[in-house]
Amino acid sequence: MVGAGVAGLVTALCLAQDGRKVLVIDRQGVGEGESLRTTAHLASALDDRYYNLARWHGADGARLAAASHAAAIDWIEHLVADVDGQCGFRRVPGYLYSHDGDTSRLQKELDAATDAGLDVTYLEAGIPDLPKLGPALRFERQARVDMDSYMATLASQCDALGVTFLKADVEQVEGGTAPRATLAGGAVINASAVVVATNVPFHERVAIHTKVAPYRTYVVAGPVRDGALPDALLWDDGDPYHYTRLVESRDGTGTLVVIGGEDHKTGQDDDTTAFVRLQSWARENLPGVESFTHGWSGQIIEPADGLAFIGADPGGEDNVFVVTGDSGNGVTHGTLGGLLLTDLIMGRGNPWADLYDPDRKMVRSPGGWLRENANVALQYRDWVGGGDVDDVEALAPGEGAVLRRGIHRVAAYRTGEGEVRTFSARCPHLGCAVRWSPQEKSWDCPCHGSRFDGQTGAVLNGPASSPLEPMVLPPRMARDDD
Ligand code: FES
């Protein structure tokens, strides 16, 4: 197993329950990737909307999608039932409301979600205690969980069943009759199957990356007045949309509200105001919210047709499996991914296998798929453009920028102490030019979402598996001024 996030740990636990010997390898440790950044809305009310899912996957596919996410929530509920505090798991309703007063989309979703088997009703008077938000759909049997407790429970149950954990970098994965993972330094781990559960696969360069698109999402949290907001999952239907839930504070002194949104494509349209915009939106729309104590961001991998890719590696050999494309429903997609992969590895049939097959074609959702791939192709034009600044002298401490030097683009960063560090701006994945993210202080690739530490160039997010290459800043030439 490569990756110790939700999908990796659920797969490891289920395989261990089936008597398989499992090794989990992660370069950072349990939950240190994207899993602990999610706000853990456990929703079968999927945010790509059932009227789209029915169009892309057929009525049966939409029903299977609803059933599989509901099954993931049930599985989590069962897992945490005997844990002290139940990992903060609560069954709560989910409310979907219009962001602009147009309720026609709600009506459409009501019909489609009902057809898909969800228990959903239309509330003309709106959400109880929040009539200001307008009419809403109420979905039953949604849930929330505290991710750190859920991840710790998964890890301890894996441990109890003899799953081994190894902190290491996996550089290569091979399948066939003798599957194996090669670690940095050359050590080889042989296995009967290898699962790549690393948010996005790092081992294959193209196949899956043409069907997913990376986005950054932002989250703020702060105390909320008791009783001001319902204990529910709230979603508006904007694009990008806002998502809200409550969480008990760790010191037991009150309740926090957690609000997310302001998504943008990774490496594109980055600015420094996402957190401020989220805070303003919260003050304007939600009663009882005044101050904010936390803020973070996360990576979302959007599949072109709304559902994750879980199953045999489409670009590789036998006995290599992938799980990717969380689509903003990472906890349920990761959990159901673990259940599905276990069946596939154990040679059992599973009714969800075709729906989530990574090799499926984008026949019914060609528009979004073509748009995302055209967008990727456009990003390569950076190589013929100018730099962000002409010289490193323009960089203030803590700032980065891309400079043009002849045929090179150079990613330059000035540390707090004034030292300037320079790297090739060429993304090691497929050669797009990285861009500076002033908000995240990182180098972000606008093509497939790899991210690199601003100071060191180390990989923060795949699919790149190696860091930005350090480079000496070449001398300036006349044409660099073009
Ligand atoms: Fe693919 Fe950078 S992530 S080129």
Side-chain angles (χ1 to χ4, degrees):
M1 180 72 47
V2 188
V6 178
L9 293 191
V10 174
T11 315
L13 178 57
C14 293
L15 284 170
Q17 286 169 340
D18 270 326
R20 300 298 286 264
K21 204 169 155 197
V22 186
L23 169 67
V24 178
I25 311 170
D26 193 288
R27 71 164 181 243
Q28 299 176 94
V30 171
E32 292 291 316
E34 292 303 311
S35 291
L36 288 182
R37 294 171 172 267
T38 167
T39 57
H41 286 228
L42 304 185
S44 57
L46 300 178
D47 60 11
D48 281 284
R49 307 279 95 87
Y50 278 94
Y51 54 78
N52 287 322
L53 294 173
R55 198 156 49 87
W56 296 334
H57 300 279
D60 287 347
R63 271 192 289 278
L64 278 174
S68 58
H69 283 264
I73 301 172
D74 291 347
W75 190 89
I76 296 169
E77 182 174 33
H78 181 71
L79 181 87
V80 303
D82 296 328
V83 178
D84 195 23
Q86 300 181 335
C87 301
F89 183 95
R90 300 271 188 288
R91 284 284 181 181
V92 293
Y95 293 105
L96 174 68
Y97 58 96
S98 167
H99 74 290
D100 60 2
D102 178 354
T103 57
S104 63
R105 293 181 299 271
L106 298 183
Q107 295 287 354
K108 226 163 73 159
E109 183 63 356
L110 174 67
D111 294 342
T114 304
D115 287 348
L118 278 94
D119 185 353
V120 51
T121 46
Y122 186 80
L123 306 179
E124 182 66 45
I127 303 165
D129 302 326
L130 287 173
K132 166 182 177 185
L133 300 180
L137 297 184
R138 175 182 165 115
F139 295 85
E140 307 299 336
R141 294 191 63 73
Q142 310 301 295
R144 62 179 174 91
V145 74
D146 295 344
M147 274 315 283
D148 48 358
S149 307
Y150 176 45
M151 293 297 290
T153 299
L154 284 171
S156 74
Q157 297 213 6
C158 281
D159 200 40
L161 287 177
V163 172
T164 311
F165 290 88
L166 174 66
K167 205 166 170 181
D169 253 319
V170 175
E171 288 196 331
Q172 201 182 350
V173 167
E174 290 161 85
T177 50
R180 57 172 121 174
T182 306
L183 307 184
V188 173
I189 314 264
N190 296 301
S192 55
V194 180
V195 174
V196 179
T198 51
N199 193 236
V200 280
F202 64 91
H203 68 295
E204 55 108 287
R205 294 170 88 78
V206 179
I208 210 97
H209 303 293
T210 63
K211 299 198 272 192
V212 295
Y215 284 78
R216 289 306 288 174
T217 190
Y218 298 86
V219 182
V220 293
V224 61
R225 206 175 56 240
D226 267 358
L229 291 172
D231 191 0
L233 309 181
L234 306 176
W235 315 293
D236 71 24
D237 67 352
D239 182 18
Y241 72 105
H242 296 94
Y243 47 97
T244 304
R245 61 162 278 192
L246 299 181
V247 63
E248 289 75 32
S249 68
R250 291 209 176 154
D251 58 9
T253 55
T255 304
L256 303 178
V257 61
V258 182
I259 303 134
E262 301 298 337
D263 306 10
H264 66 81
K265 201 157 180 197
T266 303
Q268 301 181 29
D269 305 320
D270 219 332
D271 65 26
T272 55
T273 62
F275 291 113
V276 176
R277 292 198 304 271
L278 265 185
Q279 291 178 7
S280 308
W281 179 89
R283 288 195 183 98
E284 210 172 294
N285 290 279
L286 304 174
V289 183
E290 279 156 21
S291 60
F292 295 90
T293 49
H294 301 74
W296 67 94
S297 64
Q299 188 100 322
I300 290 177
I301 306 301
E302 283 292 350
D305 61 4
L307 294 177
F309 296 101
I310 306 162
D313 181 4
E317 303 158 299
D318 290 347
N319 298 314
V320 176
F321 298 85
V322 297
V323 47
T324 188
D326 57 79
S327 192
N329 297 103
V331 189
T332 46
H333 260 140
T335 300
L336 76 89
L339 307 181
L340 171 52
L341 288 176
T342 301
D343 280 347
L344 296 179
I345 292 167
M346 297 302 291
R348 296 190 291 252
N350 185 301
W352 312 331
D354 288 345
L355 184 68
Y356 292 104
D357 182 0
D359 204 22
R360 67 182 185 266
K361 304 286 178 270
M362 302 289 109
V363 254
R364 298 198 203 187
S365 57
W369 179 69
L370 287 172
R371 233 182 347 268
E372 290 292 3
N373 281 290
N375 174 284
V376 169
L378 270 180
Q379 306 314 313
Y380 284 92
R381 71 190 163 184
D382 276 10
W383 284 104
V384 293
D388 304 330
V389 296
D390 293 335
D391 208 286
V392 291
E393 298 310 317
L395 293 175
E399 268 186 10
V402 173
L403 289 79
R404 180 179 163 185
R405 287 291 182 273
I407 59 168
H408 302 287
R409 289 181 77 78
V410 182
Y413 175 80
R414 185 182 293 280
T415 67
E417 293 72 45
E419 181 195 344
V420 174
R421 299 191 180 165
T422 47
F423 309 90
S424 165
R426 183 181 189 80
C427 173
H429 177 232
L430 286 176
C432 265
V434 297
R435 297 176 187 164
W436 176 245
S437 166
Q439 191 148 252
E440 308 271 355
K441 306 281 183 204
S442 59
W443 301 106
D444 293 1
C445 180
C447 284
H448 312 104
S450 291
R451 299 179 58 249
F452 306 86
D453 183 88
Q455 291 204 47
T456 65
V459 177
L460 300 173
N461 287 96
S465 57
S466 52
L468 294 181
E469 201 176 318
M471 105 181 259
V472 176
L473 186 65
R476 212 154 155 224
M477 298 154 78
R479 64 191 168 129
D480 294 336
D481 296 328
D482 293 350

